[in-house]
């Protein structure tokens, strides 16, 4: 038995228990809400960042009352007959702008020197949903950089406390020894007595981090991502949990870094071990499969950003007004 949900005027039938976000991902395109903390491969993720807020304008067929507040689509399951608005709701667009502003309150504007620039979810989110200016006038939080072991560096100033790295370490490595310490605006990712995060799968926290807070020390400052060429490759890895399928990032003949492959939602397809990630940086270590198809959001695909508004947006003056910035950006590009 399936349930029917309509998102921004597009109906889809999904399995009972599916969240609004995953139903939207099944439809695809611009109506998919952005998700900075939810990660389908990590149990219990989501519910932290609020970027995925949507409006439920009809609760269900049985109880058609709208939900009184915007809801986190990654944590709300669909009901039969539910109607949801994402980009067709001016209220959602306004709320999301506020959330981006809030996420950026303490985030430094160090994109020009940050390794994540060009493939940063927060950069994309700010570009697509943020306001042009910040109103924040106070000092931002500052932290010293912390080396978490010899391969990973933490820039806590950039962290948006999405918990993905904590869940990754908890669920796919044997001994999690880092987590979120303190509460409120004192919260920070840390290890007690700065112990090294040291196990075979720890490097995956770099791939799940949506911002540049956890960076690969073997790649730091080596290059900008848009100057590199991503290529899919695999090797016969002898780690029982690693299938050795990766993306190699080349500059000329040199492999500058190795990452897990990411799917169309920007999530890791399969986690890889630290040997593949940090120790195999020669072409001869790999069987090359071919060029990697890169997400349209990456700067590597620059000049291919498309804003394809739904017909309902194009015909409704209120929605045209609400999506004005996106229309303008699209004309500029
Ligand atoms: S370090 Fe990155 S993955 Fe970990 S909580 Fe902060 S933003 Fe999220
Ligand atoms: S993705 Fe839903 S709250 Fe973060």
């Amino acid at each position: 038995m399936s349930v029917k949900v309509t998102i921004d005027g597009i109906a889809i039938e999904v399995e009972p228990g599916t969240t609004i976000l995953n139903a939207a991902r099944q439809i695809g395109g611009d109506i998919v809400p952005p998700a900075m903390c939810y990660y389908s491969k990590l149990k219990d993720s989501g519910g932290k960042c609020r970027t995925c807020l949507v409006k439920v304008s009809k609760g269900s067929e049985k109880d058609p009352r709208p939900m009184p507040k915007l809801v986190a689509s990654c944590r709300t399951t669909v009901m039969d007959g539910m109607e949801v608005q994402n980009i067709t709701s001016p209220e959602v667009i306004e709320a999301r702008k506020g959330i981006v502003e809030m996420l950026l309150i303490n985030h430094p504007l160090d994109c020009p020197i940050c390794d994540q620039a060009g493939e940063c979810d927060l950069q994309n989110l700010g570009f697509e949903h943020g306001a042009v200016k910040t109103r924040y006038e106070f000092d931002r939080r500052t932290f010293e950089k912390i080396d978490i072991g010899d391969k990973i560096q933490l820039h806590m100033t950039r962290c948006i406390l999405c918990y993905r790295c904590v869940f990754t370490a908890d669920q796919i490595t044997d001994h999690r020894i880092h987590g979120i310490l303190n509460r409120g605006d004192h919260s920070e990712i840390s290890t007690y007595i700065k112990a090294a995060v040291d196990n075979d799968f720890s490097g995956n926290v770099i791939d799940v981090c949506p911002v540049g807070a956890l960076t690969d020390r073997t790649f730091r400052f080596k290059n900008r991502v848009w100057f590199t060429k991503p290529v899919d490759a695999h090797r016969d890895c002898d780690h029982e949990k690693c299938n050795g399928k990766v993306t190699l990032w080349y500059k000329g003949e040199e492999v500058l870094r190795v990452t897990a492959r990411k799917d169309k939602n920007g999530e890791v397809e399969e986690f890889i071990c630290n040997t593949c990630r940090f120790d195999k940086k020669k072409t001869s270590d790999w069987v090359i499969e071919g060029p990697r198809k890169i997400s349209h959001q990456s700067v590597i695909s620059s000049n291919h950003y498309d804003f394809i508004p739904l017909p309902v947006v194009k015909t409704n003056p209120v929605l045209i007004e609400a999506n004005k910035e996106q229309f303008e950006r699209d004309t500029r590009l």
Side-chain angles (χ1 to χ4, degrees), residues 154 159-165 189 208-211 213-214:
L154 168 67
C159 172
I160 57 160
L161 293 165
C162 71
Y163 280 70
R164 281 184 186 173
C165 61
I189 290 286
V208 300
C209 184
V211 295
L214 291 165

Side-chain angles (χ1 to χ4, degrees), residues 231-236 244-246 248 250 261 282-290:
V231 169
D232 278 349
H234 65 268
R235 62 183 277 273
D236 196 9
K245 288 187 184 161
V246 303
L248 306 178
Y250 274 94
R261 298 181 187 175
K282 285 199 232 105
T283 301
S284 55
D285 294 326
W286 299 96
V287 179
I288 303 293
E289 293 170 25

Side-chain angles (χ1 to χ4, degrees), residues 152-170:
I152 305 170
Q153 190 169 71
L154 168 67
H155 291 234
M156 189 54 219
T157 45
R158 299 174 184 160
C159 172
I160 57 160
L161 293 165
C162 71
Y163 280 70
R164 281 184 186 173
C165 61
V166 179
F167 287 126
T168 305
D170 220 11

Side-chain angles (χ1 to χ4, degrees), residues 4 9 51 79 95-97 132 174 186 195 212 218 221 278 294:
K4 185 178 160 202
T51 54
M79 304 292 281
R96 197 164 285 149
K97 207 182 271 179
V132 175
D174 292 339
H186 292 284
T218 67
F221 300 136
F278 297 124
I294 287 298

